[in-house]
Each structure stands twice: as C-alpha cells, then as structure tokens.
Amino acid sequence: MATSTVENYIKQIYLLQQNTSGERVSVGKLAAMMGVVPGTATSMVKALADSELVEYEPRAGLRLTRGGEQLALHVLRRHRLVELFLVNVLGLDWSEVHEEAEDLEHAISDKVLNKIDAYLNSPQFDPHGDPIPSARGKVPDMECRSIADCPVGRSFRISRITDQDSKFLQFAERNGLTPGVTIRITDRNSEADAVTIHVSGRRVMLGTSAATKILVEDKAARTR
Amino acid sequence: MATSTVENYIKQIYLLQQNTSGERVSVGKLAAMMGVVPGTATSMVKALADSELVEYEPRAGLRLTRGGEQLALHVLRRHRLVELFLVNVLGLDWSEVHEEAEDLEHAISDKVLNKIDAYLNSPQFDPHGDPIPSARGKVPDMECRSIADCPVGRSFRISRITDQDSKFLQFAERNGLTPGVTIRITDRNSEADAVTIHVSGRRVMLGTSAATKILVEDKAARTR
DNA sequence: ATAATAATTTTGAATGCTCAAAATATAGAG
DNA sequence: CTCTATATTTTGAGCATTCAAAATTATTAT
C-alpha cells in the first residue's frame, strides 16, 4: 500500500500535470509544491519510478504512469468527497475543509468512502466546484474558462474556484463569488490589470491574478 | 504533536491499565498488544518517558502520567465518537467500525470532532457501550459486571461488549446480544464452564470466556 | 544458594523520509 | 564556443520506527 507521503506526491504530480496540460513535470516544481528541498524530491521520484507510479527521465522531468494516475484520482476522489461531506453534512465552512481533508483523505477506507458517496448521492463536484473522480477513475468534464479571459458584457455561472487558500475563499464568499452564482462581466481594463463584474447587485473588482482563479461556464450550461 | 504511533502506544497503555486496575503495565504485555517485538516496546517506552507521557522504571514497568492519560482519553474520544458516527450516520455495521476508527482516530481534527459530537448530541457511549470521554477528559462512569459473575435468575440490561473482534460482534448481534437489550440469566454450570441466558425468547449458552466479555447493569439503571 | 527459566534490555542494522551542502549537467549570454 | 547562472542530482547524515539476536536481570524450583 502507498504511504500517505507517496499519495501526496502522486496527487501533487497529477495537479501539476493538469496545469501544464500534460507536459512533463519538473522535479524542482514538484519539490516547491511539496515544500521539500529539491534533493528530497529527486530521491522520492526515483522511488516512485521504481514502484512504476511515474516515468522518470533524469533531468528531463517526470510523468504519471497509468497506475500513478489511477492512484491520484483515487486520492482526489477521497479528498473531494470528504470536503463535500464536511460542508454539507457537518456544516464546516468551505474555506476550512481543504485543510481537514488533507489528513482525512489518507485515512478513509473504500468502505467508508462508498457510504459517504451514497449519502451524498454520488455527487460530481465538491464545494469549490472541483470535479470528483468516479470510483472507476472517470473525471466529470466541465467546459469552463476563467473570468480573466471572458468577453465583457455577457453573463456566466461560476463553476469553480481554483485556489484552496482559506483567506481567498473567505474573500470570495464575502463577495458572493461561489459556485452556481450568476455573474456579469461589465468591464475589463488591461492597463489596470483588472476586471469588473456584477454579482447579485454588487459590483466587484478583481485583479487578473484573482480573476484567473475563478472559472465560469455559459449561463445555459448543464445542471450542477 | 504526537505521531499516530505514539498515540497508539499511549492508548494501549491506558487500556492495559484499565484491565489491571491501575497497576503498572509490563513492557512485555505492551509489546504483545502492539504486535511488536519486546525490544521495540522498550525503546518506544523510553521515548515516551522522555516526552513525559509515561513514568518508567526499567524492569518494573510503566504507568501513564497525567499528560499521558489526557492524551489517551483524547484519542479514545476520537475513536469512539467516530465509531458511533459511522454506525448512526453512515450506517456501517457495528462489527466493522472498530477497524475503520483505528485510522480515522489519528486524522480527525478537534474542529471536525466537535462537529461530530454536536451532530450526535454529545453522546456518552459508543456502539459497543464503551464510554466516550468528554472533551475535558471525563469518562462517564458505568456500574457493571460481566455476565460471567451475575446471579442466576435475575434480569439485566446489556451495557457493554468488551471485545472488538468482528467475528465475536457478529455472533453477539446474531443472538440479540447488543447494548440496551434485556436478558435473564437462567442457569450457570461451573463444571461445564457455561452460563445460559434468555434474550427476547431465545435461549443462548455462553462459555465463561465469552460471558466475561458481556457487561450488564441492573434493569433499573439509568437511561442510555 | 544455585541453576534453569522467563522477562527485559541492549546492540546493530534496515526502511522511509527528510535536510544541508557539494558535485554535476544544461541552457543562454556574450 | 566558452562562461555563467540555474536546475538537478549526489552524498552524508539524522529521526522515528521496526526487527533479530545477544546480553542482562529477575524469578522460581530445587
């Protein structure tokens, strides 16, 4: 069985691969995300390669194998189902559940996971709008782009917030920027590096780097 | 912070102390319960003594300090609240929740624990009738003795099953021997080493070693 | 009191994960 | 094409936990 350290590395590699759309991940980036010194990442990656969870070309980077991806998806499934459970059933705030799930994702058996899944009615998205992989490793797809590159004047539905930082999530919540909410993009000023949106009457200004973290889809889009 | 290994040792020492009513625990017994070789227990115990969780007299045995006891009670609180939650909310079988809780007890934060406690209405006993220590470390007291040494002819209410083995728990459940149930002791045969009881019409025979694991209290006893 | 037995501790080594610091490879600038 | 800055890997070491096997101590029976 994979230790929770291994699960964390694999999960992180998966997430890095997502960002760079499938490119090889560099050992340095991985080390930075894991909060370890580069040498540590190197030796861990070698171990992961020995267990056939990643393909590793020294100095060129690494990529998950099929098995590694399966493991990553399984960990993410646990993480995200737990997050949703904590919010919907136990009433924790969405800004704090990421931290909690970081530990729980390694301690939950399939038996309990399936009960949670059933209790929640096999949901497809967690409280931040992140897709919950199915038990068989299928990821619900979502077409969405960030507020930072949406056309001005149109309305959208917020589908996902891609930052787990609790300060940011609290800010988003205070301003009504949560998944499911409809917003209208009213102005973009590339000099000021800012976007103005309207959300339930209020007017909110976002710098580009914040806007990038909020993903939306067309108003007409599928039910969530 | 205590590692989960440390938490497990401390918990086990506490449970051993309970059985031997406060006597010093021997390193050998501890090793056996933890499933490690005696030398391992010795070195762990030394480390626990360094952290002031136990008092340790080489060759004479060990005892929890006040701090150690606090930690044990906190772990037990997590374990037992989780067990009850798994049974009452997620619908797991009482025979399987002990295993599940073994991992979860180390991964649950106080924040989540308090939510669970509130959700369950600050319960005092887990599904096996084991007392749940309060957040401040108070253990609800229960007066009870085992079926093995109860007078014949009287009725009692089952209050606790002191064996987490899932086979035994399944057997108990099949025969209606669960906390809250009323039984009547109809015969004791010390030659055969057996007790006969009646539970909801049925007649069940128990060897002494099984009978010892089932604790009862007077019919009139407090609500559970 | 002594020898045998049982419990405990010590020693030396392994595993998994980590760091600090030195060595090495690669890419870009001149 | 060579030099330098940057990324990566290697090396040596430490911590927590474990085992196997040897050494020590305590207990019991004679």
Side-chain angles (χ1 to χ4, degrees):
Chain A
M1 275 296 86
T3 65
S4 54
T5 308
V6 165
E7 288 190 347
N8 282 332
Y9 274 90
I10 293 297
K11 179 181 62 170
Q12 200 54 67
I13 294 166
Y14 178 89
L15 295 173
L16 284 169
Q17 268 184 200
Q18 294 296 104
N19 288 352
T20 59
S21 31
E23 293 292 307
R24 272 224 251 278
V25 171
S26 78
V27 171
K29 288 245 166 54
L30 178 57
M33 295 306 297
M34 292 299 299
V36 298
V37 113
T40 301
T42 299
S43 56
M44 190 65 199
V45 164
K46 282 199 230 167
L48 297 177
D50 286 348
S51 335
E52 317 218 353
L53 291 168
V54 306
E55 283 166 32
Y56 170 50
E57 294 276 5
R59 243 131 200 153
L62 55 132
R63 190 188 354 238
L64 292 180
T65 61
R66 191 82 194 93
E69 193 185 331
Q70 288 296 341
L71 177 55
L73 290 170
H74 198 228
V75 176
L76 282 176
R77 173 171 167 79
R78 291 192 299 240
H79 181 101
R80 291 172 180 169
L81 274 174
V82 165
E83 281 188 349
L84 191 62
F85 189 82
L86 292 178
V87 169
N88 285 8
V89 180
L90 289 180
L92 291 243
D93 194 87
W94 82 326
S95 68
E96 54 190 5
V97 292
H98 178 71
E99 309 301 318
E100 301 291 340
E102 282 297 305
D103 284 340
L104 288 169
E105 69 185 10
H106 308 296
I108 294 237
S109 72
D110 282 355
K111 204 180 275 177
V112 172
L113 190 68
N114 289 336
K115 290 289 188 180
I116 289 178
D117 183 56
Y119 194 97
L120 296 170
N121 245 277
S122 300
Q124 301 214 78
F125 300 94
D126 82 2
H128 314 102
D130 297 326
I132 299 173
S134 78
R136 275 140 257 96
K138 263 200 110 40
V139 184
D141 52 304
M142 46 201 318
E143 314 221 348
C144 52
R145 48 191 164 166
S146 94
I147 289 186
D149 41 51
C150 275
V152 170
R154 301 251 311 280
S155 281
F156 299 93
R157 180 198 301 275
I158 294 181
S159 56
R160 188 173 181 184
I161 314 288
T162 62
D163 183 343
Q164 303 290 354
D165 179 71
S166 96
K167 291 272 180 244
F168 182 76
L169 291 172
Q170 279 162 15
F171 158 81
E173 188 164 38
R174 265 201 315 281
N175 291 92
L177 300 171
T178 54
V181 166
T182 297
I183 62 161
R184 187 173 184 77
I185 305 200
T186 52
D187 189 53
R188 161 171 296 113
N189 182 330
S190 36
E191 279 65 45
D193 215 48
V195 190
T196 306
I197 65 184
H198 271 74
V199 44
S200 56
R202 245 171 312 179
R203 193 168 141 279
V204 182
M205 276 194 63
L206 258 23
T208 303
S209 84
T212 312
K213 301 175 190 168
I214 301 179
L215 307 192
V216 297
E217 60 193 344
D218 274 339
K219 274 255 26 195
R222 107 194 71 78
T223 52
R224 297 295 299 275
Chain B
M1 274 298 81
T3 65
S4 54
T5 307
V6 166
E7 288 189 348
N8 282 333
Y9 274 91
I10 293 297
K11 179 182 62 171
Q12 201 54 68
I13 294 166
Y14 178 89
L15 294 174
L16 284 169
Q17 267 182 201
Q18 293 297 103
N19 288 352
T20 59
S21 31
E23 292 294 307
R24 271 222 250 278
V25 170
S26 79
V27 170
K29 287 243 165 54
L30 178 58
M33 295 305 296
M34 293 299 298
V36 298
V37 115
T40 301
T42 300
S43 58
M44 191 63 199
V45 164
K46 281 199 229 168
L48 296 177
D50 286 348
S51 333
E52 316 217 357
L53 291 167
V54 306
E55 283 166 33
Y56 170 50
E57 293 276 8
R59 240 125 204 158
L62 54 132
R63 188 186 355 234
L64 291 180
T65 62
R66 192 83 193 89
E69 192 185 331
Q70 288 295 342
L71 177 54
L73 291 170
H74 198 229
V75 176
L76 246 18
R77 173 171 167 78
R78 291 192 299 240
H79 182 101
R80 291 173 180 170
L81 274 174
V82 165
E83 281 189 348
L84 191 62
F85 189 81
L86 292 178
V87 169
N88 285 8
V89 180
L90 290 181
L92 291 243
D93 194 88
W94 83 326
S95 67
E96 54 191 6
V97 292
H98 178 72
E99 308 302 316
E100 300 291 340
E102 282 298 304
D103 285 340
L104 288 168
E105 69 185 8
H106 308 295
I108 294 239
S109 73
D110 282 354
K111 205 181 275 175
V112 172
L113 190 68
N114 288 336
K115 290 287 187 180
I116 289 178
D117 184 56
Y119 194 98
L120 296 171
N121 247 281
S122 299
Q124 301 214 79
F125 300 93
D126 82 2
H128 314 102
D130 298 324
I132 300 174
S134 78
R136 274 140 257 96
K138 261 198 114 40
V139 183
D141 51 304
M142 46 202 316
E143 313 220 351
C144 52
R145 49 189 164 168
S146 94
I147 289 185
D149 42 52
C150 275
V152 170
R154 301 250 312 279
S155 282
F156 299 93
R157 180 197 302 275
I158 294 180
S159 56
R160 189 175 182 182
I161 315 289
T162 63
D163 183 343
Q164 303 290 354
D165 178 70
S166 95
K167 291 272 179 245
F168 183 75
L169 291 172
Q170 279 162 15
F171 158 81
E173 188 166 37
R174 264 201 315 281
N175 290 92
L177 300 171
T178 54
V181 166
T182 297
I183 63 162
R184 186 174 184 77
I185 306 199
T186 52
D187 188 54
R188 162 170 295 113
N189 182 331
S190 38
E191 278 65 43
D193 214 46
V195 189
T196 306
I197 64 184
H198 272 74
V199 45
S200 55
R202 244 172 313 179
R203 192 167 141 282
V204 182
M205 273 195 64
L206 257 25
T208 302
S209 83
T212 313
K213 301 174 189 168
I214 300 179
L215 307 191
V216 297
E217 60 193 347
D218 273 341
K219 275 257 24 194
R222 109 194 72 77
T223 53
R224 295 295 299 274

